[in-house]
Amino acid sequence: MKRLHARVALITGAGMGIGRAVALRFAEEGALLALIDRDAEALHATAEAARGLGARVIAVVADATEAAAADGLASSALDAFGRIDLLVNNVGGGKPGRIWELSVDDWDEVMRLNLRSTFLFTRAVVPHMIERRSGRIVCLSSGARNGTIWNSYYAGASAYSTAKAGIHGFVRDMAIELAEHQVTINAVAPGPIDTELAGPYLRRMDEAGLPYAPSLMTPLGRLGTPREVADAVLFLASDESSYITGITLDVLGGR
Ligand SMILES: NC(=O)c1ccc[n+]([C@@H]2O[C@H](COP(=O)([O-])OP(=O)(O)OC[C@H]3O[C@@H](n4cnc5c(N)ncnc54)[C@H](O)[C@@H]3O)[C@@H](O)[C@H]2O)c1
């Protein structure tokens, strides 16, 4: 039996990177997918790849920081599949800049992308999960929740680190709110991951031999892969994690 056989999963930011890897990993394990991304071409490529693995997929192009997008994806998933079992709050990202370079708009955008989207999608699915007394939510935090050595040293990542610490706090509190309803919520905190967008930036620091380069700061001595993160998300979305809620699972290569 596949680990997510016939489970319905909502995944935000599924077009590229970790979100795409999670969508394909879930498809391999038998999930039905409701995907959202603002990049239509990337989203449709993920949807096609997931269908190629046998998954039924709905794909919605929209901005995941808008309440209408969250509510709309939840109701489309319910219309198409009849229930929602899993939510992966994957959308997120940062704006590099030291504090004196960071505009108010940049700061707000980072909070919006990481925290507002996580709040909106969680709020959209939770009433349904509570009613069914079943559900798993996984959010993407980051090793940056404890500070990002390489980013802080070269570019400044205070907004990103603040937002990712916020995800950890959100998960801690939501776990308590949702526990009596048998819904679990956890986070995964990746280290430097070789995604389409972040990978080239991280590798440039490695190749320049900089003393704070990501791979040098990581005991396992290399960047992680999107699939390695997806495997951790899969564990927290599966029955194997049934007595785990409110944690942030580090996928940091040992740091
Ligand atoms: N890549 C890393 O090294 C790394 C490390 C730690 C944590 N993370 C976290 O993991 C998650 C995924 O990271 P990634 O590097 O794969 O992401 P990414 O920047 O590659 O983006 C993934 C997808 O999200 C979509 N997206 C961005 N903003 C959106 C919006 N407002 N609405 C809808 N879609 C949107 C993009 O189009 C893209 O397809 C994020 O929360 C990120 O902060 C990543």
Side-chain angles (χ1 to χ4, degrees), residues 130-153:
I130 288 176
E131 199 182 306
R132 292 186 58 237
R133 292 186 61 73
S134 167
R136 300 237 188 290
I137 301 169
V138 185
C139 305
L140 268 293
S141 179
S142 166
R145 77 183 193 284
N146 294 316
T148 328
I149 295 169
W150 48 88
N151 267 341
S152 307
Y153 193 72

Side-chain angles (χ1 to χ4, degrees), residues 13-19 36-39 42 62-65 89-93 113-114 140-143 160 164 189-198 202:
M16 271 191 278
I18 292 167
I36 185 168
D37 202 291
R38 66 181 171 191
D39 179 335
D63 180 347
T65 66
N89 283 312
N90 168 72
V91 152
L113 192 58
N114 293 278
L140 268 293
S141 179
S142 166
Y160 185 63
K164 292 309 195 185
I193 306 301
D194 198 359
T195 54
E196 294 93 326
L197 296 180
L202 295 165

Side-chain angles (χ1 to χ4, degrees), residues 23-42:
L24 300 184
R25 193 72 191 86
F26 280 20
E28 286 171 4
E29 293 296 341
L32 288 65
L33 303 176
L35 310 177
I36 185 168
D37 202 291
R38 66 181 171 191
D39 179 335
E41 200 180 324

